């Protein structure tokens, strides 16, 4: 496109106008160029024989030194584009590029701006258009994942215990099947302590999107102290839908444990509990049932993971949609009580949902059948109300308001029927108020909350208050919580504060002190100090000391944990004056890909999670299917959301595991990661739904493309030289056009992108007719041979000669 005559720069006129999407036409003679800029009234015409350029009715004279003319092309001095058309160009010798500035809103600029706007909008919305959509299959049986854990506990003044756990995850009859077996030397092996569940999910079904059998989660109002074995049907989809707000969730676990937040079985966020174990999440409220699940991964102790099911009080259904859930089964208690619950919700508007149903429990003496009605209303922006009334049991209301600055107030009131026996406590009323506000200053950031909770009993009432501050003070993780308990039976309230901090010291040391002070007795009641540091890259060692002044006990602790690729191990010793405890534990999982025969181990839980096997291969015969004789392609990299990526030994297969199930996953293969320029991925974006307890295999065909190259010469009375701007067509064996190209300034041409087969190269006949030349030869046949590394044919030569009169 550029030809340089030092120190001037000349630009090819048609190329520049075509790039800017400006209308231009070239006549039979390369000097006959005409068109317009933006508007037909802004017409231009190049009149080279008269040494002038006409634009918008004005005539601009030029000299012979302002242009360069070849038999096929016309170049113009770049400075004249700015002087005549307002297209100011500046050539950058360092980058060999032209910078163009103009006050005109060019079509090309407008097009690029709109393209970027659409890309940014799609990026915000998470919209990616896949090249390939893999449909989900429902096999009758597939082997999958296995979890295991071993925990051994010894005590000097107590019972010893050895616990074994084995989890199996498979696919049976098209449904996810999970079994968790627990064995303890102290607890009998009974069905109550085991978990087994079969779950069929089809989000495309209109009647039953989820069918669950075995141990089911009931979300009951009645007090259930044992699992329920039964069946659950619902038309609620597993996938998350659009959110309409958020709900602040706070809870407490052990200090510095990692907490993962799952909404409807999809991981939304994760955080690390502060020095006291406090953590907070902003839970997105999704249309439909919002089931929140928390998973905890701790650095110490016997139990490395646990799960909690959190019920969110708001349940909004999209407008004019109806959702139901039916659960029925037997409670695994001594009486084998019968339980069932049916609830129905309908969205009157996107911000107003009404519902109702009935719950049944056979051992409730105040009434086995308990009908209920409920509603959720979005009154205004940031103002939500949820209410429920269950006959002969309770009535409840929750009002929540959040300002744009994230100040939030929650009011909750529950009134219990004094004769109800469904809920296993004798409360008459519960009254709660909570105020929370994030605080951000130059010195610290913190989450603050003040709450009051009052419980009214038949003969008395209890009132508790809590003031919590959790955040980073001068970069130090700090939690200060003050509790107060007020009862009618005691004139003196109980008030105490707990201060917890974590200091990051040199040499990767973490110091975590905790102090508890009782204001009622003006005394320190508990003191804990822990020190931890990593070692050997994947290991951690910790020491600690605890002095409980109320119990007059003190404990010295030392622990060691080390993570391998296939297991997490830990050793903990707690030596005290009253009792000493020693704990040894190990846990991990196995993953089996039955389609490729691959078995691997993982140091995290794998049961119930999805996995993907990606196999790129050289599609030598071009049928888009993997054949045994076609080799794998090493080193392919992918862009995906979440999961852990591993390669096999020769890097021709990669696997992604630790994926959440029933999630629409987009996998983008990176064509630039391939080692050979002749390897091409025509469909790099694949969409699929992750399936639990199995590897989903994706074959990615990599095309091997060939290259053709050569020269075009022009022959006249001055001799033979290379000629640029000559159009060459590439035709296949069926005379179909498969490629077009232009020769460079010195006559060289190259085209990369031909599949295996027979082709011919032809100089564009129309161009030859316009410039009055003939090509010798008229066409050149060539063959692209099959090769793993791409075939190259680079000996094509054309000679153009002036037609004889």
């Amino acid at each position: 496109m550029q030809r340089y005559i030092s120190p001037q720069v000349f630009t090819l006129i048609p190329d520049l106008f075509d790039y800017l999407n400006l209308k231009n036409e070239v006549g039979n003679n390369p000097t006959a160029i005409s068109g317009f800029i933006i508007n037909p009234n802004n017409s231009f015409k190049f009149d080279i024989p008269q040494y002038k350029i006409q634009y918008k009715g004005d005539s601009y004279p030029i000299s012979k030194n302002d242009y360069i003319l070849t038999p096929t092309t016309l170049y113009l001095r770049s400075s004249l584009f700015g002087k005549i058309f307002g297209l100011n160009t500046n050539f950058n010798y360092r980058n060999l590029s032209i910078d163009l500035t103009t006050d005109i809103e060019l079509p090309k600029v407008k097009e690029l701006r709109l393209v970027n706007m659409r890309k940014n909008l799609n990026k915000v919305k998470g919209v990616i258009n896949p090249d390939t959509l893999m449909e989900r299959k429902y096999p009758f049986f597939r082997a999958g994942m296995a979890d295991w854990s071993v925990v051994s506990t010894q005590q000097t003044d107590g019972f010893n215990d050895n616990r074994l756990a084995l989890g199996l995850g498979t696919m049976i009859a098209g449904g996810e099947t999970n079994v968790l077996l627990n064995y303890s030397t102290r607890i009998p092996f009974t069905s109550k302590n085991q978990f087994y569940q079969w779950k069929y999910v089809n989000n495309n079904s209109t009647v039953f999107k989820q069918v669950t059998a075995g141990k089911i989660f009931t979300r009951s109002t009645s007090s259930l102290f044992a699992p329920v074995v039964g069946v659950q049907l619902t038309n609620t989809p597993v996938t998350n839908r659009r959110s309409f707000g958020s709900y602040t969730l706070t809870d407490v676990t052990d200090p510095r444990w990692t907490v993962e937040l799952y909404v409807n079985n999809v991981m939304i966020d994760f955080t690390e509990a502060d020095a006291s174990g406090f953590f907070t999440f902003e839970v997105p409220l999704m249309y439909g049932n919002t089931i929140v699940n928390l998973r905890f991964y701790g650095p110490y102790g016997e139990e490395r993971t646990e799960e909690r099911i959190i019920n969110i009080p708001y349940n909004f259904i999209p407008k004019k949609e109806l959702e139901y859930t039916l659960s029925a089964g037997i409670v695994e208690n001594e009486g084998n009580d019968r339980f069932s619950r049916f609830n129905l919700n309908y969205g009157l508007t996107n911000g107003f949902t009404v519902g109702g149903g009935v719950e049944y429990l056979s051992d409730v003496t105040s009434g086995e059948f308990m009908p209920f009605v409920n509603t959720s209303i979005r009154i205004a922006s940031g103002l939500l109300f949820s209410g429920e009334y269950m006959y002969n049991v309770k009535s409840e209301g929750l009002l929540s308001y959040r300002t744009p600055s994230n100040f939030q107030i929650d009011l909750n009131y529950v009134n219990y029927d004094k004769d109800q026996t469904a809920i296993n406590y004798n409360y008459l009323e519960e009254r709660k108020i909570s105020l929370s506000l994030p605080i951000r200053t130059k010195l610290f950031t913190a989450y603050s909350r003040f709450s009051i909770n009052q419980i009214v009993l038949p003969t008395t009432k209890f009132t508790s208050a809590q003031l919590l501050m959790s955040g980073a003070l001068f970069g130090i993780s700090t939690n200060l919580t003050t509790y107060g308990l007020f009862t009618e039976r005691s004139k003196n309230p109980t008030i105490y504060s707990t201060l917890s901090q974590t200091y990051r010291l040199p040499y990767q040391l973490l110091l975590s002190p905790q102090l508890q002070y009782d204001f009622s007795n003006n005394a320190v009641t508990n003191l804990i100090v822990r020190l931890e540091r990593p070692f050997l890259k994947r290991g951690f060692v910790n020491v600690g000391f605890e002095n409980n002044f109320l119990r007059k006990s003190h404990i010295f602790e030392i622990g060691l944990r080390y993570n391998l690729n296939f297991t997490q191990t830990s050793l903990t010793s707690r030596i005290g004056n009253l009792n000493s405890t020693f704990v040894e534990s190990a846990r991990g999982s196995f993953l089996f890909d039955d389609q490729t025969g691959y078995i691997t181990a993982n140091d995290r839980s794998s049961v119930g999670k999805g996995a993907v096997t990606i196999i790129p291969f050289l599609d030598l015969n071009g049928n888009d299917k993997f054949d045994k004789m076609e080799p794998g392609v090493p080193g392919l990299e992918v862009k995906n959301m979440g999961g852990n990526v591993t390669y096999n030994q020769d890097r021709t297969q990669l696997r992604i595991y630790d994926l959440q199930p029933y999630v629409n996953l987009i996998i983008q293969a990176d064509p630039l990661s391939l080692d050979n320029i002749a390897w091409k991925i025509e469909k790099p974006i694949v969409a699929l739904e992750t399936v639990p307890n199995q590897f989903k295999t994706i074959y990615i065909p990599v095309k091997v493309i060939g290259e053709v190259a050569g020269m075009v010469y022009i022959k006249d009375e001055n001799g033979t030289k290379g000629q640029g701007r000559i159009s060459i067509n590439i035709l296949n064996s069926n005379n179909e056009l498969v490629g077009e190209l232009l020769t460079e300034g010195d006559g060289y041409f190259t085209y990369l992108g031909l599949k295996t087969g027979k082709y011919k190269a032809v100089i564009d006949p129309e161009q030859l007719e316009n410039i009055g030349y003939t090509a010798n030869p008229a066409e050149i046949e060539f063959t692209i041979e099959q090769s793993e590394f791409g075939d190259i044919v680079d000996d094509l030569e054309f000679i153009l000669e002036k037609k004889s009169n």
Side-chain angles (χ1 to χ4, degrees):
M1 182 174 173
Q2 299 297 324
R3 183 173 177 181
Y4 312 107
I5 299 179
S6 180
Q8 301 296 328
V9 176
F10 289 76
T11 301
L12 184 60
I13 298 169
D15 274 15
L16 178 62
F17 284 167
D18 287 343
Y19 179 77
L20 298 177
N21 291 345
L22 297 177
K23 176 68 174 179
N24 71 98
E25 295 179 349
V26 182
N28 294 335
N29 192 304
T31 63
I33 302 175
S34 62
F36 61 84
I37 296 178
I38 307 299
N39 192 304
N41 294 327
N42 302 331
S43 62
F44 61 82
K45 182 180 180 180
F46 286 77
D47 193 352
I48 299 302
Q50 300 298 323
Y51 300 106
K52 65 180 180 180
I53 299 174
Q54 295 177 353
Y55 178 56
K56 296 172 64 174
D58 296 328
S59 180
Y60 297 88
I62 59 174
S63 67
K64 290 184 178 180
N65 295 327
D66 290 330
Y67 68 90
I68 298 174
L69 179 62
T70 73
T72 59
T73 57
L74 177 64
Y75 295 84
L76 182 69
R77 190 187 302 273
S78 294
S79 60
L80 291 180
F81 284 99
K83 180 180 179 181
I84 300 174
F85 303 107
L87 305 174
N88 302 298
T89 61
N90 180 36
F91 182 71
N92 189 319
Y93 286 92
R94 178 183 295 272
N95 297 327
L96 297 180
S97 63
I98 287 182
D99 298 326
L100 186 145
T101 59
T102 180
D103 294 331
I104 304 172
E105 187 177 17
L106 298 171
K108 184 67 174 182
V109 176
K110 185 177 181 180
E111 176 188 338
L112 292 175
R113 186 176 72 251
L114 292 175
V115 169
N116 286 331
M117 289 174 62
R118 295 188 188 104
K119 285 183 178 179
N120 291 335
L121 182 61
N122 288 338
K123 186 176 181 180
V124 171
K125 292 182 177 180
V127 177
I128 299 177
N129 295 321
D131 303 310
T132 305
L133 179 62
M134 295 188 62
E135 295 184 357
R136 182 186 164 187
K137 297 180 180 179
Y138 299 86
F140 182 79
F141 177 78
R142 289 283 297 273
M145 318 296 185
D147 292 345
W148 63 271
S149 68
V150 179
V151 180
S152 179
T153 304
Q154 303 86 40
Q155 298 185 75
T156 57
D157 189 15
F159 295 99
N160 297 335
D161 183 27
N162 296 300
R163 285 186 289 163
L164 305 175
L166 176 64
L168 301 175
T170 64
M171 182 71 69
I172 298 178
E176 173 191 359
T177 305
N178 296 325
V179 177
L180 178 61
L181 304 177
N182 296 287
Y183 170 77
S184 172
T185 56
R186 291 187 55 195
I187 303 174
F189 186 85
T190 61
S191 173
K192 179 180 178 180
N193 298 324
Q194 317 308 318
F195 178 84
Y196 45 91
Q197 185 184 84
W198 179 86
K199 184 176 183 179
Y200 179 86
V201 174
N202 185 356
N203 289 316
N204 297 321
S205 173
T206 57
V207 181
F208 304 119
K209 295 186 185 299
Q210 298 183 61
V211 179
T212 306
K215 298 287 182 78
I216 60 176
F217 302 110
T218 60
R219 304 187 71 183
S220 67
T221 299
S222 306
S223 298
L224 298 178
F225 299 103
V228 176
V229 179
V231 178
Q232 185 176 82
L233 308 175
T234 181
N235 67 338
T236 301
V238 174
T239 55
N240 281 334
R241 295 183 286 195
R242 182 168 59 91
S243 65
F244 57 86
S246 60
Y247 177 80
T248 302
L249 171 66
T250 61
D251 209 336
V252 176
T253 182
D254 287 349
R256 296 180 40 249
W257 277 41
T258 298
V259 187
E260 295 178 346
L261 170 68
Y262 293 79
V263 176
N264 296 339
N265 210 37
V266 178
M267 191 176 83
I268 301 298
D269 198 4
F270 70 93
T271 188
E272 182 178 285
D274 68 11
S276 70
F278 174 81
F279 62 90
T280 180
F281 283 112
E282 291 296 322
V283 182
L285 297 175
M286 304 292 181
Y287 284 109
N289 292 322
T290 302
I291 302 176
V292 176
N293 180 283
L294 298 176
R295 298 182 185 178
F296 300 82
Y297 298 92
Y300 312 116
E302 307 87 345
E303 216 170 43
R304 302 299 298 269
T305 62
E306 62 172 301
E307 296 188 5
R308 301 179 193 173
I309 304 297
I310 307 295
N311 289 329
I312 299 298
Y314 303 103
N315 185 19
F316 287 91
I317 304 298
K319 183 180 179 180
K320 295 184 180 180
E321 289 193 16
L322 182 70
E323 288 191 1
Y324 74 90
T325 300
L326 173 63
S327 305
I330 302 296
V331 184
E332 287 191 303
N333 55 14
E334 293 182 357
N336 289 327
D337 299 327
R338 299 178 302 277
F339 172 86
S340 62
R341 179 182 173 94
F342 176 74
N343 62 278
L344 197 68
N345 291 286
Y346 181 75
L348 295 175
T349 68
N350 285 333
F352 187 10
T353 295
V354 295
V358 62
E359 185 172 307
Y360 171 82
L361 186 60
S362 59
D363 76 336
V364 179
T365 58
S366 59
E368 298 176 347
F369 290 92
M370 295 163 281
F372 61 88
V373 293
N374 57 268
T375 185
S376 294
I377 305 173
R378 183 168 54 185
I379 302 172
S381 177
L383 183 60
L384 302 175
F385 172 78
S386 174
E388 180 177 288
Y389 170 73
M390 177 172 278
Y391 178 71
N392 277 345
V393 178
K394 68 168 185 174
S395 56
E396 179 178 6
L398 174 63
L399 185 66
S400 177
Y401 177 67
R402 174 179 292 192
T403 68
S405 61
N406 287 329
F407 169 75
Q408 181 169 324
I409 179 171
D410 295 293
L411 301 173
N412 190 10
Y413 177 75
V414 186
N415 184 280
Y416 298 92
D417 188 289
K418 61 182 179 62
D419 296 322
Q420 66 88 19
T421 58
I423 301 174
N424 194 30
Y425 42 74
N426 61 343
Y427 293 178
L428 298 179
E429 294 179 69
E430 275 190 276
R431 306 161 184 167
K432 297 180 182 179
I433 181 172
S434 176
L435 307 173
S436 60
L437 176 68
I439 301 174
R440 297 179 178 88
T441 68
K442 293 182 179 180
L443 299 180
F444 67 93
T445 58
Y447 171 85
S448 63
R449 183 184 66 191
F450 176 70
S451 61
I452 298 176
N453 183 15
Q454 187 176 74
I455 300 174
V456 179
L457 301 172
T459 58
T460 186
K461 61 183 177 182
F462 294 90
T463 302
S464 61
Q466 181 192 70
L467 176 61
L468 179 145
M469 298 280 290
S470 175
L473 178 64
F474 300 106
I476 302 170
S477 175
T478 303
N479 180 290
L480 176 62
T481 304
T482 300
Y483 302 88
L485 180 62
F486 307 86
T487 66
E488 293 181 343
R489 298 177 179 178
S490 175
K491 295 182 179 180
N492 298 321
T494 300
I495 302 174
Y496 62 94
S497 291
T498 301
L499 175 64
S500 306
Q501 290 185 311
T502 296
Y503 296 86
R504 295 188 178 273
L505 304 179
Y507 304 104
Q508 297 180 288
L509 290 170
L510 289 178
L511 177 64
S512 301
Q514 184 180 95
L515 179 69
Q516 187 177 97
Y517 185 82
D518 187 349
F519 292 95
S520 304
N521 298 315
N522 294 322
V524 175
T525 56
N526 198 34
L527 174 65
I528 301 174
V529 179
R530 289 192 177 96
L531 187 65
E532 177 182 343
R533 88 175 299 273
F535 79 103
L536 297 180
K537 295 183 179 181
R538 304 194 65 177
F540 296 86
V541 61
N542 67 281
V543 294
F545 177 77
E546 179 178 357
N547 192 343
N548 190 312
F549 297 94
L550 289 179
R551 297 181 56 197
K552 297 182 179 180
S553 68
H554 52 267
I555 298 173
F556 174 77
E557 175 185 310
I558 183 170
L560 172 67
R561 66 185 192 278
Y562 195 84
N563 296 338
L564 301 170
N565 291 330
F566 58 92
T567 184
Q568 297 180 12
T569 62
S570 71
L571 301 172
T572 304
S573 299
R574 294 173 58 88
I575 303 172
N577 61 327
L578 302 180
N579 185 27
S580 296
T581 304
F582 307 93
V583 180
E584 306 83 41
S585 69
R587 64 185 298 266
S589 63
F590 293 100
L591 300 87
F592 177 57
D593 183 358
D594 58 352
Q595 289 188 315
T596 62
Y598 177 81
I599 299 177
T600 187
N602 188 12
D603 64 343
R604 300 279 295 271
S605 173
S606 297
V607 171
K609 295 182 180 180
V612 174
T613 298
I614 301 175
I615 303 177
F617 65 96
L618 290 182
D619 189 18
L620 298 177
N621 56 14
N623 64 354
D624 291 329
K625 297 180 180 179
F626 176 68
D627 300 310
K628 291 184 178 180
M629 56 84 177
E630 293 176 327
V633 175
L636 177 68
E637 297 180 359
V638 297
K639 304 173 184 177
N640 73 294
M641 305 298 290
N644 295 319
V645 179
T646 61
Y647 289 85
N648 64 345
Q649 188 172 1
D650 60 2
R651 294 179 62 83
T652 56
Q653 297 180 6
L654 58 121
R655 290 174 174 83
I656 308 174
Y657 52 92
D658 280 346
L659 296 172
Q660 297 310 311
Y662 312 113
V663 174
N664 294 323
L665 182 68
I666 298 291
I667 295 178
Q668 300 181 64
D670 184 6
L672 299 178
S673 64
L674 300 180
D675 292 336
N676 195 323
I677 193 174
W679 293 347
K680 181 181 179 182
I681 302 177
E682 294 182 345
K683 299 178 179 180
I685 304 178
V686 181
L688 70 152
E689 180 183 338
T690 56
V691 181
N693 297 328
Q694 62 177 276
F695 282 86
K696 200 161 189 174
T697 304
I698 302 173
Y699 290 97
I700 297 182
V702 178
K703 305 296 183 179
V704 183
I705 56 178
E707 181 180 2
V708 62
M711 291 290 298
V712 174
Y713 298 100
I714 191 166
K715 185 177 182 180
D716 55 22
E717 62 275 8
N718 297 322
T720 302
K721 62 179 180 179
Q723 179 59 49
R725 300 294 299 170
I726 297 299
S727 178
I728 301 176
N729 297 332
I730 308 295
L731 307 177
N732 62 15
S733 58
N734 297 322
N735 280 329
E736 297 172 334
L737 182 67
V738 295
E740 295 178 280
L741 57 100
L742 288 175
T743 59
E744 298 179 10
D746 59 357
Y748 178 76
F749 67 87
T750 179
Y751 183 82
L752 177 66
L754 298 175
K755 298 179 181 179
T756 301
K758 295 182 178 181
Y759 299 90
K760 61 182 176 180
V762 182
I763 302 292
D764 184 11
E766 184 177 349
Q767 186 186 30
L768 288 176
E769 183 66 27
N770 290 337
I771 64 176
Y773 279 76
T774 61
N776 183 26
E779 61 183 42
I780 301 177
E781 295 183 352
F782 62 95
T783 301
I784 298 296
E785 302 289 349
Q786 188 179 90
S787 169
E788 291 187 12
F789 305 101
D791 189 23
I792 300 177
V793 178
D794 59 357
D795 57 354
L796 277 61
E797 287 189 1
F798 292 94
I799 297 178
L800 307 184
E801 295 182 273
K802 198 78 172 179
K803 282 184 178 181
S804 59
N805 295 327

